[in-house]
Amino acid sequence: MTSSALVLVGAAGWLHPAWRNGFYPDDLPDDWLLSYYNTQFQAVYLPAPFWQAASKATWAQWLNDTQDGFLFVLEPGDAASVKPASERVLLATPAWEAGHVWWLDEAPDLRKLAQRITLQAATGESLFVFSRRGDLGLLEQANTLKQVMGY
């Protein structure tokens, strides 16, 4: 993994329709959305149908459009799917996800998240804090908590 960040905040995907009326600038072209998303978040969780449908050229563009420390976390797909060969692309097997992912939508209690961050810090491994729904309020709170805790 190329990122040394302990806490990486992001959403499941970057194409949330509600984000077009506030999060993304009004005049931002569609093919710049990921680049803009990367200015606010450090990782993205991609559902299997989405990432599996992407061509090699699309993956190359996504990797090119994001900063070196930005990570793509992939939902496991069917047996035939092969994740792109990049240190910035991680496959979230159930065991890996249990130890590295905190879903904000399921557990928005920031005190519990702070405790989890503290426990994760002891391991030295990254914790990915994601929102499936793309709840910008929760994502902002997670980013603020991360900063307050010094991560």
Side-chain angles (χ1 to χ4, degrees):
M1 179 172 15
T2 61
S3 177
S4 60
L6 179 67
V7 181
L8 298 105
V9 178
W14 64 87
L15 300 174
H16 299 274
W19 289 9
R20 270 301 204 178
N21 299 321
F23 174 71
Y24 291 121
D26 293 338
D27 58 348
L28 191 69
D30 288 347
D31 58 342
W32 291 9
L33 296 178
L34 177 57
S35 294
Y36 184 85
Y37 172 93
N38 179 212
T39 68
Q40 307 298 309
F41 301 109
Q42 306 81 46
V44 66
Y45 185 91
L46 298 180
F50 185 79
W51 71 264
Q52 290 172 324
S55 67
K56 285 184 180 185
T58 298
W59 267 107
Q61 188 63 50
W62 290 347
L63 289 165
N64 188 54
D65 286 349
T66 53
Q67 299 170 22
D68 288 339
F70 186 84
L71 298 174
F72 294 85
V73 178
L74 309 181
E75 175 185 50
D78 59 45
S81 17
V82 177
K83 79 174 189 67
S86 171
E87 291 179 337
R88 295 177 45 216
V89 180
L90 308 171
L91 188 62
T93 63
W96 182 90
E97 187 171 317
H100 294 88
V101 175
W102 178 277
W103 289 103
L104 283 172
D105 306 312
E106 297 166 7
D109 184 332
L110 295 181
R111 287 178 194 233
K112 287 183 181 178
L113 176 55
Q115 292 169 350
R116 175 66 186 274
I117 290 170
T118 301
L119 290 172
Q120 199 75 21
T123 71
E125 295 187 24
S126 296
L127 177 67
F128 294 81
V129 180
F130 290 126
S131 170
R132 280 193 177 93
R133 296 187 311 258
D135 185 318
L136 290 171
L138 287 176
L139 290 167
E140 182 179 332
Q141 289 176 20
N143 262 329
T144 300
L145 176 63
K146 170 183 141 174
Q147 291 169 358
V148 166
M149 293 183 74
Y151 299 110

